[in-house]
């Protein structure tokens, strides 16, 4: 186990303990030597983590100290960093900005050992980035999915024919080349996929399908499970 992970785990052990925890107990749980635990305790105390106690007595975390509301191990941090990097490839401008804000918040909240994971800049998501949808704001679609609001689409199907659709959006799938809106189409009376690069206009309708989203998603999921995915357009 790397040092940063050990420091995090020691804080977690002490934070949850109801009585002093000896170095031997901590060492057994972390599968390291007692000597390593002693060194780590000293390192944490040097970072002003209020650990009290000593050898043979055990250690406690002074009342009033706590970790930030969200705290991550090294592996969890690496998963977050890579996930945020992958958002750069979605073509969803609002999500890209949100990813940058999340990175800044995490960097400001985590202690120095874990912050090194962010500063090292060692994880990258490489490859083609989807272009931003020109005629549709994907943030509007995500809000409509959450709020269960119908959308009015000006759409061009795979044959290039222009159509007007009222849809009940239930999911948004990000592919490398585009994003697909999964929705109940009131024209087709079925689940359909709408490619964002074929949408020529999208507006909120102020009409709702409250309480229907989960049921429609179940219809969609069942369709995929039996290998009959929703058609496009």
């Amino acid at each position: 186990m790397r040092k940063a992970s050990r420091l995090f785990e020691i804080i977690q052990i002490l934070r949850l303990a109801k009585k002093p925890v000896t170095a031997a107990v901590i060492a057994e749980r972390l599968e390291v030597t007692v000597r390593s635990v002693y060194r780590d305790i000293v390192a944490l105390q040097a970072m002003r983590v209020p650990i009290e106690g000593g050898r043979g007595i055990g250690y406690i975390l002074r009342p009033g100290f706590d970790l930030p509301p969200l705290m991550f191990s090294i592996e969890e941090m690496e998963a977050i960093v890579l996930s945020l990097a992958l958002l750069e490839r979605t073509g969803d401008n609002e999500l890209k900005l949100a990813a940058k804000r999340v990175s800044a918040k995490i960097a400001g909240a985590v202690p120095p050992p874990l912050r090194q994971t962010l500063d090292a800049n060692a994880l990258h998501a490489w490859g083609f980035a989807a272009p931003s949808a020109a005629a549709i704001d994907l943030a509007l679609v995500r809000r409509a999915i959450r709020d269960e609001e119908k959308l009015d689409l000006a759409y061009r199907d795979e044959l290039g024919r222009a159509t007007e659709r009222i849809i009940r959006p239930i999911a948004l799938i990000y592919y490398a080349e585009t994003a697909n809106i999964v929705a109940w189409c009131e024209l087709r009376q079925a689940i359909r996929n709408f490619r964002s690069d074929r949408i020529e206009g999208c507006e909120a309708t102020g009409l709702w399908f409250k309480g229907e989203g989960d049921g429609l998603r179940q219809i969609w999921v069942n369709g995929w499970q039996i290998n009959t995915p929703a058609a496009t357009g």
Side-chain angles (χ1 to χ4, degrees):
M1 181 181 292
R2 287 173 289 186
K3 182 175 181 179
S5 294
R6 291 201 314 271
L7 297 180
F8 169 78
E9 293 298 337
I10 289 171
I11 293 175
Q12 290 287 68
I13 290 169
L14 297 179
R15 187 172 69 90
L16 298 174
K18 299 185 183 301
K19 61 182 181 179
V21 184
T22 65
V25 170
I26 296 173
E28 183 179 359
R29 290 183 60 176
L30 300 184
E31 298 182 345
V32 298
T33 66
V34 172
R35 187 184 298 272
S36 293
V37 174
Y38 287 144
R39 287 198 296 262
D40 291 341
I41 293 289
V42 171
L44 287 168
Q45 289 171 332
M47 287 186 278
R48 298 186 178 181
V49 177
I51 297 174
E52 298 178 347
R55 301 187 182 192
I57 302 172
Y59 298 94
I60 60 171
L61 198 60
R62 192 165 63 229
F65 176 83
D66 206 349
L67 296 171
L70 291 177
M71 199 60 183
F72 307 100
S73 68
I74 287 292
E75 289 73 22
E76 291 166 340
M77 183 69 71
E78 289 174 340
I80 292 171
V81 169
L82 187 56
S83 298
L84 293 174
L86 287 169
L87 282 177
E88 289 290 329
R89 300 167 60 183
T90 63
D92 189 321
N93 291 328
E94 187 178 79
L95 281 184
K96 290 180 183 179
L97 292 174
K100 293 183 186 299
R101 294 195 301 271
V102 170
S103 293
K105 287 180 179 179
I106 291 174
V110 299
L114 293 179
R115 194 176 304 146
Q116 292 172 1
T117 299
L118 292 178
D119 294 340
N121 198 28
L123 298 176
H124 301 271
W126 197 257
F128 174 75
S132 299
I136 183 172
D137 181 1
L138 294 178
L140 171 64
V141 177
R142 286 188 280 104
R143 284 193 291 271
I145 292 171
R146 291 195 301 268
D147 297 341
E148 298 186 338
E149 181 178 8
K150 298 180 183 181
L151 295 176
D152 185 355
L153 292 189
Y155 190 71
R156 204 165 281 279
D157 66 18
E158 66 272 16
L159 298 178
R161 297 171 297 197
T163 61
E164 291 288 331
R165 309 288 183 96
I166 300 296
I167 65 169
R168 304 175 191 183
I170 57 171
L172 188 56
I173 306 173
Y174 293 91
Y175 294 102
E177 67 279 4
T178 187
N180 275 16
I181 303 170
V182 181
W184 176 268
C185 176
E186 296 193 350
L187 176 65
R188 303 299 186 200
Q189 288 294 293
I191 299 290
R192 288 290 186 268
N193 292 332
F194 297 92
R195 290 175 55 115
S196 62
D197 55 354
R198 293 179 183 167
I199 295 173
E200 298 181 337
C202 178
E203 295 181 358
T205 63
L207 303 174
W208 314 93
F209 57 104
K210 295 290 188 182
E212 299 178 27
D214 287 342
L216 291 173
R217 271 185 289 276
Q218 194 60 48
I219 293 172
W220 171 54
V221 169
N222 289 340
W224 277 91
Q225 288 175 342
I226 60 174
N227 297 318
T228 55
T232 300

